[in-house]
Every structure is written in structure tokens, then in C-alpha cells.
Amino acid sequence: MIDITVVIPTYNGAERVPLVLEKIKVQTNTDAFSWEILVVDNNSQDHTAETIRDLQKSWSKDALRYCFEPRQGLAYARQCGVDHAKGALVAFLDDDVLPAADWLAEAYRFGRDRPHIGAYGGQIHGAFEVEPPGGFERIKSFLAIRERGAAAHAYKPEVLSLPPGAALVVRKAAWQASVPKQLTLVGRINGTMLSGEDFEALLHLHQHGWEIWYCPTMQAYHQIPRHRLERDYLLSITRGCGLCVCLLRWVPARPWQRPLIAGRIVASSLKRMLAHFWRYRGQVYTDVVAACELNFMVYNLLSPLFCMQTLLKQSQNMPPVEKTI
């Protein structure tokens, strides 16, 4: 029995995955438990498969495994990882997130000591190619950066306070019993930046009674190149995060509660937008951080419409399309 499986979902990650594997290969304090790595190739069009086959030659038998998931979308890749993982714990790492030397040991220890926890994430720091814009702290969470202090604590799923999937550990049995095979949100596909598939899975876990926690001793570093700090990219990220809000808030809700939730989202978004305009006024045109905050609020306001459109399309067996909003 394997104690923990590290799952690395990747799309066209031939140049990125080797560095992640190198960091995992030199993990410390791992003698007390068994572990493996599973790279999930999410329909890559580059030479990811060949790269992994070459790297397997330098690993011990079955320590580094590969599987192919043809359905595009991070939700499908993560589900494939859970399905094929041999470990009781499944530790997801995005292909641009580099773990600290003791990340795996801390991930195992935290899960072993807290069997009531269904999922947990640690600190994710930004490793920036260039200096972020002024005020970046206010929007860093949109880039999966989490720095919540030195004390372990429970997240608050009821207000969408959750760890990102970029460096997340889940209990396999809890996931399999709680998370649907087909999520509403599947990830950033077809040129869209719609996100939230990781939060949707965690909300299902929470709905089934599992706690979601923050583990400060698990530390990783999100590699953020120059283009991810440019205005257009940041606006697209905040748009995708805003659009998924209503869908996420509807996950634990009963049908009769959904109109009330949608109404609250519209009212609170309008209130926040007015306050933001009053505070920053013309700065939303010159300050990228203020522009991103406003952009998130605008698409948060539109999220009930997008939510209804998405569910209608799914009922007709049609994929959701972000560009129609």
C-alpha cells in the first residue's frame, strides 16, 4: 500500500515537468512512508509523453508513472489522477509549482495526524520573474498564492475561503465518496480563463462532512513569468474567477435557495462596485490592481447569468462557453 501519491497534471508541460520532478526527487525525511509520482498528461500536443518516458529511466521501478487523459480540462486531469493513484493521500502539484525540500514529508505528516481532514493546502509563495505591480498583495490570491501565517487552521468553505488546487492534498477515499466524476467547472479550456474547478471539488468534500485545512509547514513556490503580471492576463484571470462565483455558491444550496443567493450576489456586487468607484475613481484606468478588483466585481455581478446559462447548456449536453457573456 502506498501512503501518498504526488499527482502532477500537465498540458504541454515538457519543459516544466522535469524541474518539478527534480524537486520531488530530492525530498527529505521520506523514509517513514511510501510514495510515488503520477504525471497526468492532459491531452498535451508537445513531447510531454516522450519526456516522461526518458525521465522514467532514471527512477526506480514504478516510482514515476504516466497516464494520459484525453478530455481537456484540469478537473478531468485531477479526477484521472485520483482514479489511478495508489496512495491513500493524493498530493496535487501543478506543473509550475515547485515544492520545498520537506513539502512531501510535511504533507504526509499533516494528513496522518488529522484523519478527520478531507483536504488541505499549505503556503504557496510567488516566485516572480519580474517585480509585481504596486498593491499586488490585494490580488495575489488570483494567482494561487496563499500566505496565511504560521498557525494551522480550518478554512471557511461557506464563504469560499479555500486552498487552491495548485498544491493541494486530498484524502483519496473522501474524494471518491464525495466528488462527482463530472464537475460543472472543468478548468481553463478553449482559450477561456474560467476557473473554480478546484473549489467546486472541495465544496463537495465539505458538503459531505470533511474539513478543509491550512498547513503552514507545507511550502511551495508558484513560478510566475512576466506575462502573467501583465494587465491583459490579470484581467482575464479576475474575469474567470468572478464568473464562477454563483456556480460555486450554488454547490451546497437547495434549489429554493438559489434565487436568494443570486440576488445577494447581485446586491453585494453592486454595493462593492460603487464603493470601489468612489475610492479609486479614475485610478481604475491607470492602476492595474484597482482595475483587476473592479473587473472581478463586474463578473461576480454577471455570475448568476453565467451560472444559469452554463446549467442550461449542460442540460442540453452542450459545453459552457465563457465568451458569450
Side-chain angles (χ1 to χ4, degrees):
M1 179 66 177
I2 300 294
D3 292 309
I4 186 166
T5 299
V6 180
V7 172
I8 306 172
T10 186
Y11 173 70
N12 290 346
E15 303 300 323
R16 298 184 299 275
V17 173
L19 183 55
V20 182
L21 293 176
E22 181 181 320
K23 294 294 184 181
I24 299 173
K25 197 170 189 177
V26 296
Q27 290 288 295
T28 60
N29 303 321
T30 61
D31 293 339
F33 58 94
S34 57
W35 56 280
E36 63 169 357
I37 302 171
L38 176 63
V39 176
V40 180
D41 183 348
N42 191 200
N43 199 32
S44 295
Q45 305 303 305
D46 66 354
H47 54 283
T48 293
E50 293 82 358
T51 298
I52 301 305
R53 278 198 292 269
D54 288 341
L55 290 170
Q56 284 175 321
K57 298 172 185 176
S58 63
W59 288 74
S60 59
K61 181 179 172 61
D62 295 329
L64 173 58
R65 297 192 293 125
Y66 167 92
C67 64
F68 184 81
E69 172 51 65
R71 296 171 298 174
Q72 199 74 61
L74 195 46
Y76 296 124
R78 290 191 178 123
Q79 183 62 55
C80 177
V82 171
D83 289 341
H84 289 85
K86 297 177 181 178
L89 296 171
V90 178
F92 294 116
L93 269 180
D94 281 2
D95 65 7
D96 58 357
V97 175
L98 304 181
D102 61 350
W103 184 84
L104 189 56
E106 291 300 318
Y108 170 72
R109 180 192 59 79
F110 196 82
R112 178 201 63 196
D113 295 345
R114 296 168 174 82
H116 62 288
I117 294 176
Y120 48 97
Q123 299 198 56
I124 306 178
H125 310 288
F128 304 101
E129 182 181 6
V130 297
E131 191 69 21
F136 179 76
E137 285 286 315
R138 306 204 309 264
I139 62 169
K140 67 180 183 179
S141 63
F142 292 116
L143 289 175
I145 296 173
R146 292 291 189 278
E147 295 162 322
R148 297 171 61 93
H153 57 266
Y155 275 94
K156 297 180 179 180
E158 62 275 8
V159 293
L160 299 187
S161 173
L162 291 163
L168 175 73
V169 183
V170 302
R171 205 170 295 279
K172 180 175 178 175
W175 179 290
Q176 290 179 318
S178 308
V179 180
K181 292 282 188 178
Q182 175 67 60
L183 295 174
T184 302
L185 296 165
V186 299
R188 296 165 185 163
I189 58 173
N190 300 326
T192 72
M193 296 299 285
L194 185 64
S195 57
E197 73 291 332
D198 47 358
F199 278 25
E200 184 180 356
L202 291 173
L203 286 168
H204 283 291
L205 278 170
H206 179 67
Q207 191 177 11
H208 282 75
W210 292 98
E211 295 184 15
I212 316 295
W213 274 61
Y214 167 74
C215 170
T217 55
M218 284 170 53
Q219 302 204 40
Y221 300 85
H222 188 190
Q223 308 302 294
I224 300 176
R226 178 190 301 268
H227 78 272
R228 290 192 179 181
L229 294 174
E230 294 174 354
R231 184 185 181 92
D232 287 348
Y233 184 88
L234 290 172
L235 288 174
S236 69
I237 284 281
T238 52
R239 178 176 66 248
C241 291
L243 280 178
C244 71
V245 168
C246 188
L247 277 166
L248 293 174
R249 290 198 177 277
W250 277 12
V251 169
R254 296 180 179 179
W256 65 267
Q257 295 174 313
R258 292 181 173 184
L260 299 177
I261 293 171
R264 284 199 296 268
I265 288 173
V266 170
S268 63
S269 296
L270 286 172
K271 182 179 179 180
R272 291 168 63 195
M273 287 167 60
L274 289 172
H276 193 77
F277 269 122
W278 178 256
R279 180 175 182 179
Y280 292 102
R281 299 172 188 170
Q283 291 183 47
V284 295
Y285 302 105
T286 58
D287 184 324
V288 64
V289 171
C292 286
E293 290 174 321
L294 178 61
N295 198 52
F296 174 74
M297 295 172 196
V298 168
Y299 284 96
N300 194 354
L301 172 70
L302 293 173
S303 69
L305 175 61
F306 177 76
C307 181
M308 290 183 286
Q309 178 194 52
T310 300
L311 295 179
L312 177 62
K313 286 183 178 294
Q314 285 195 340
S315 69
Q316 299 171 342
N317 295 317
M318 295 174 61
V321 182
E322 180 186 350
K323 65 181 180 182
T324 57
I325 290 294

